[in-house]
Amino acid sequence: MSSPDHQIVGRIFPRSDGVARVTGAERYTVDVSLPRMLHGRILSSPYAHALIQSIDTSEAEAMGAVVLTFDDVPKTRYNERIITIPPVLHKDHTVLADKVRRMGEAVAAVAAETEELAEQAARAIRVEYEVLPAVTDPHEAMKRGAPAIYDTVMWGKKEIAVENNVAAEREVNEGDAEKAFAEADATVEGTFRLPKVYHAQLETKSCVCRPEPDGGLTVWPTTQSIHNVRILLGEIFDIPLSKIDVRRVPIGGTFGSSIQMNSPIPICAALALKASRPVKLTYTREEDAHDHTRYGCTIDLKLAAKNDGTLLGADMELVADIGAHNIQAYSYLGVSIGWLVSLYKLPNVRYRGTAVYTNKAPSCAMQGFGNPQITFAVEQLIDELAETLDIDPIELRLKNYVGLGDTFWGQGPMVKSIVHSDGVPQLLATGSERIGWKTRPVAGQNRSEDERFCRGIGMARGFHTSSAGAPQPGDVIDFSGAMVKVNIDGSIDVITALMDHGGGTHEAIAKLVGEALCVPFDKVNVVPVGTQTTVYDCVTHATRGVYAGGGAAVKAAELLVGEILETAARYLNVYPDSLDLRLDEEAGQAEIYSPAIDCCRMTLEELAKRCWMESWKTLAAVESYRPTNCPPAYVAVFLEVEVDTWTGQVRTANAVMGSDCGTVVNPAMAVGQLEGGLSKGAGYALVEGCSWDADGQLASRGYWLDAKIAAFDESPHVENLTTFFADTYEPTGPFGAKGIGEAAMNPVAAAYANAIANAIGVRFYELPITPEKVLSALEGRKAEGDARKGRHLLDRSSGAGDAR
């Protein structure tokens, strides 16, 4: 928790952007309107897999529309996400499709004076297709003779062949897994099937591009990384980066859907460059739903253990459905093994990961980048192992978890560090006490009087990394930068490219900088910026906002403290080391003072104003920061659920959410992260999932019909929701802070599965756990029980006959 010595960090203040957000005054990308701006639309393919034979644009052009086809755009192949270093980055994307590989893929685009005219022009384009067989099952896609989605892709600067639709493979072997399983006293295993899920963020993908007289571009995009958008636009259109300014615009939620450069951005840029006028292009909800999903995968996992519960090893095979484009699939395979071996100590591991192309929406990061999937499998098998060995599940977890002083893999084999803060024992002890763990029922034996409702208690623990930092460079780019400057009234401007997804990251940074400089919170401003006015920040992902982005801002502030004290020492005629900063709350000012000389003091405003009046300098500092750790942000989830055996519905009766995020910078928002994690995790566990038919047509459409995000009555309406925070301090984080965001959701689905298993005695290895699946499982269990009863009666009857 926050230290009582903190004057700003850990306190609750009104959000500086709160009024704008709740009154509709906040300007998102869709709110940007420029003089002479045209409106863009795309023409999407109605097929999932097809060759483009011809495109007739004459009717659209006769309407006065600017029209783009594949012939009008650069042929550069790129990857929309450039966190992986260029030499090992797979590239298969082009601005418009050279061949259709998914339903809804953009084959042409138009820009016109109004949205209505642009829509008419897009519909007027005539395309002839040669429809090809689609493949929607990754296991079928790998078979010899399956339709080839790609012949070749780029890998770095090399063109490589794609065989059997395999986009990437990865193997990791540690120790001797074969020997571990041979010597094991107990093993548990399962095949877990996790669906592709649409992000369902509030804001669909959007972009505004303005061509500049010097041949450059100014861009207002929906994105989590303005600098990566800039780099990719420069690469695709061969424009010097100094001529591209990508503006940071508030974002209406993302859940990882904008971690890459979104598909509309280069299309909008190409339209603007061809038209020589500004263009706005915004996806419809249907277009957005075709554009991105969480990674779907199949996980075959096996754990080995001794009789005393000591884990000996694991064997995992993962097949990931990456959809029509490769958005960092190789890294996904790497983080998947990282999540496994960072949950529990597994000295012997055998892992094989395969990423496979299908004619479906591309997979990208979504709240955990594979972590919820792995945790769903591992935390269920840990419960099963505890049952097999007759050990309390919490005791088994405490015996084997990766904690203080252990080596933590973080996001894969190349991201290793040491755990310096660990609140897991406190999370499990407090959570178990608050949920009533010691009184939880025997599995399947807590029915209501009318036999209709079954209650059960389950839990799961998990984590996420705070950044992708590591002691040495790897294949993932991860660093942030910030500039902090003092204005002549003593207020502070923080200049950072870091995105805030709506969860209060900028508020946290303002608090951290205010704490470092002893400046009141309301005098610290995170200013609107663009790529031309900021140093590089990789992207807001990997629960890195506060830890890495805030870490960069605090390091810049600490440099600035040195500059402030050295400058003030000149005026006060003392040595800089004799000075310090403090917050004078009554005056609402930062004060520079000498503890040894009571009269030796001046406010920060007085110092900044003298530097200005005497034409000396601006007090400012800039810093780039690469974290050398990625400390685990641990979360424990305890749930009590009620299963209606007549309808199959699962109700959340009670929930306890505990977080180890180090120093809590934003208390109210940290609680909100936990509550939001429960809500999103419940949706993933119980209702969400996308489906495609054999032709690659998206069958799950609409928020509340088939695509199925949780509706209001399907969200957790918890009788008693408790949140709490472990008393930890992360020594590598800004003021002891680490992350919370993705960690809040990662273990939730597993906790639901374990609670449901405790309620009805049936375990589910496939998500979502729908009412239909619950009823089917209960019916299957009843039929199995009836069959056993029949066999028992038959045996008794046979025995009696023999006796006679």
Side-chain angles (χ1 to χ4, degrees), residues 2-3 75 178 222 232 235 348 380 464 489 532 549 567 579 583 599 645 673 686:
S2 60
S3 165
K75 306 306 182 286
E178 188 172 340
T222 304
L232 278 167
E235 176 186 325
N348 304 288
Q380 285 208 76
H464 207 72
D489 64 350
Q532 290 180 337
T567 305
L579 295 176
L583 172 58
C599 62
T645 62
Q673 289 281 7
L686 303 177

Side-chain angles (χ1 to χ4, degrees), residues 7 134 139 191 252 308 344 367 432 436 438 464 474 603 661 708:
Q7 295 178 285
H139 297 276
T191 297
D308 67 357
Y344 295 102
Q367 288 181 300
S432 62
K438 291 183 179 179
H464 207 72
T603 67
C661 58
K708 211 57 201 143

Side-chain angles (χ1 to χ4, degrees), residues 141-468:
M142 288 189 287
K143 292 181 179 178
R144 188 183 301 274
I149 298 173
Y150 288 91
D151 296 319
T152 65
V153 298
M154 299 301 295
W155 186 62
K157 295 183 178 181
K158 301 176 183 177
E159 188 171 25
I160 60 172
V162 177
E163 298 182 5
N164 302 322
N165 292 312
V166 173
E169 295 178 284
R170 203 154 186 173
E171 290 192 13
V172 174
N173 292 284
E174 293 270 326
D176 189 337
E178 188 172 340
K179 181 180 179 183
F181 280 94
E183 296 177 350
D185 297 317
T187 62
V188 288
E189 61 184 300
T191 297
F192 300 85
R193 294 179 174 86
L194 294 308
K196 288 167 75 73
V197 173
Y198 173 51
H199 295 70
Q201 76 287 355
L202 285 175
E203 181 184 14
T204 64
K205 309 291 182 66
S206 186
C207 184
V208 175
C209 287
R210 182 179 67 200
E212 301 297 348
D214 65 355
L217 280 171
T218 302
V219 185
W220 294 261
T222 304
T223 185
Q224 293 172 225
S225 173
I226 59 176
H227 278 278
N228 288 347
V229 168
R230 183 196 207 194
I231 292 168
L232 278 167
L233 289 178
E235 176 186 325
I236 294 167
F237 296 102
D238 194 25
I239 300 173
L241 298 188
S242 59
K243 293 185 178 182
I244 301 175
D245 190 21
V246 180
R247 302 286 177 84
R248 192 188 69 210
V249 187
I251 193 167
T254 172
F255 308 129
S257 64
S258 295
I259 202 166
Q260 67 274 7
M261 179 185 69
N262 297 322
S263 300
I265 295 173
I267 298 173
C268 185
L271 285 168
L273 289 170
K274 183 172 182 179
S276 297
R277 289 175 62 179
V279 174
K280 178 190 290 184
L281 175 60
T282 301
Y283 268 179
T284 64
R285 180 59 64 180
E286 184 176 12
E287 289 166 345
D288 198 77
H290 291 314
D291 187 72
H292 49 86
T293 64
R294 166 178 274 139
Y295 280 87
C297 64
T298 301
I299 301 169
D300 289 290
L301 179 62
K302 186 175 181 180
L303 299 178
K306 295 180 181 179
N307 277 330
D308 67 357
T310 303
L311 290 173
L312 296 176
D315 189 343
M316 184 168 78
E317 184 166 350
L318 180 145
V319 176
D321 181 347
I322 71 167
H325 295 289
N326 187 340
I327 304 175
Q328 215 172 8
Y330 185 73
S331 289
Y332 179 83
L333 298 180
V335 300
S336 293
I337 183 61
W339 306 140
L340 172 65
V341 300
S342 295
L343 269 168
Y344 295 102
K345 299 170 186 174
L346 295 163
N348 304 288
V349 175
R350 179 169 54 205
Y351 167 69
R352 299 162 303 284
T354 309
V356 186
Y357 284 115
T358 61
N359 294 118
K360 290 150 77 172
S363 298
C364 66
M366 182 179 178
Q367 288 181 300
F369 195 37
N371 201 327
Q373 294 92 313
I374 299 298
T375 303
F376 177 72
V378 177
E379 285 297 276
Q380 285 208 76
L381 288 190
I382 288 292
D383 259 33
E384 289 193 66
L385 183 61
E387 183 179 341
T388 299
L389 298 174
D390 194 24
I391 299 175
D392 184 277
I394 292 178
E395 180 186 336
L396 185 63
R397 285 172 169 86
L398 287 170
K399 184 180 183 69
N400 290 285
Y401 82 98
V402 176
L404 192 66
D406 293 327
T407 299
F408 176 69
W409 276 36
Q411 299 212 11
M414 300 185 72
V415 186
K416 295 182 180 180
S417 58
I418 301 297
V419 178
H420 295 291
S421 60
D422 172 11
V424 171
Q426 183 181 352
L427 295 180
L428 298 187
T430 303
S432 62
E433 180 182 350
R434 294 186 181 183
I435 202 68
W437 182 263
K438 291 183 179 179
T439 60
R440 76 177 187 138
V442 176
Q445 296 185 18
N446 187 20
R447 285 180 174 265
S448 59
E449 290 184 6
D450 59 4
E451 294 289 311
R452 175 177 177 178
F453 298 100
C454 295
R455 282 214 174 194
I457 292 175
M459 62 82 57
R461 58 166 296 270
F463 71 94
H464 207 72
T465 58
S466 306
S467 83

Side-chain angles (χ1 to χ4, degrees), residues 562 565-567 569-570 574-580:
L565 298 183
E566 184 175 330
T567 305
R570 301 279 186 95
V574 295
Y575 294 111
D577 290 348
S578 69
L579 295 176
D580 206 347

Side-chain angles (χ1 to χ4, degrees), residues 14 20 95 105 130 139 213 224 238 248 296 315 355 392 406 491 517 525 570 574 582 596 620 669-670 700 742:
V95 176
E105 188 138 37
E130 179 188 338
H139 297 276
Q224 293 172 225
D238 194 25
R248 192 188 69 210
D315 189 343
D392 184 277
D406 293 327
S491 64
L517 295 174
N525 181 37
R570 301 279 186 95
V574 295
R582 64 186 174 194
M669 295 177 198
S700 49
E742 290 159 288

